Amino acid sequence: MKYFLIPYIALGLILSLSIGLVYQCTGPEMFPEFYGSPFVFKQKSLASSMEYFFSISGLLLNVAVWSVLLAFIHAMIRNVIERAKHQALFRTVYQTIIVLLILFTTLNIAADIAML
């Protein structure tokens, strides 16, 4: 189950743009804004300020990059929990954080579906 949750949480972090970049072109013409984390995965439409276009390859690459990073963080936290005196408390807090991140991801996916 954790092998599904790590990419799911990574997808939520990417879609929220909490860790991301906004690429804006400068010039006299109108250019769209591009969003990346670090690869470009979303483009703002020039026709409507509420419409976005997604790049599947950019989204998959970003999910892969952030999944590796989150898996590494998960392994480090599990190692710290195993060495702690109050394992039950730390495990409960960590699982609560994971549930909150899952809810956060679900809300981000729902918001992005509404913006399509």
Side-chain angles (χ1 to χ4, degrees):
M1 187 65 152
K2 76 176 178 181
Y3 298 112
F4 172 73
L5 289 180
I6 290 175
Y8 188 72
I9 292 172
L11 178 65
L13 289 175
I14 292 165
L15 291 178
S16 71
L17 287 173
S18 58
I19 306 171
L21 303 170
V22 178
Y23 302 104
Q24 296 176 335
C25 300
T26 57
E29 297 92 18
M30 285 185 57
F31 291 106
E33 292 180 353
F34 299 97
Y35 301 92
S37 178
F39 302 105
V40 174
F41 68 94
K42 184 164 81 168
Q43 171 186 342
K44 190 179 235 180
S45 172
L46 292 176
S48 171
S49 64
M50 297 295 287
E51 187 177 23
Y52 295 95
F53 301 108
F54 287 89
S55 165
I56 298 298
S57 61
L59 199 57
L60 291 176
L61 284 171
N62 286 327
V63 167
V65 167
W66 286 106
S67 292
V68 169
L69 183 67
L70 287 176
F72 180 71
I73 292 170
H74 173 71
M76 286 182 9
I77 290 174
R78 297 292 285 192
N79 192 8
V80 169
I81 288 174
E82 288 176 9
R83 295 177 186 209
K85 284 185 178 181
H86 305 288
Q87 288 183 1
L89 175 66
F90 288 127
R91 189 175 294 120
T92 304
V93 169
Y94 183 58
Q95 289 174 351
T96 304
I97 291 170
I98 289 173
V99 168
L100 290 174
L101 286 172
I102 291 169
L103 292 174
F104 177 73
T105 298
T106 305
L107 289 174
N108 278 321
I109 290 171
D112 279 341
I113 288 173
M115 296 293 235
L116 281 177

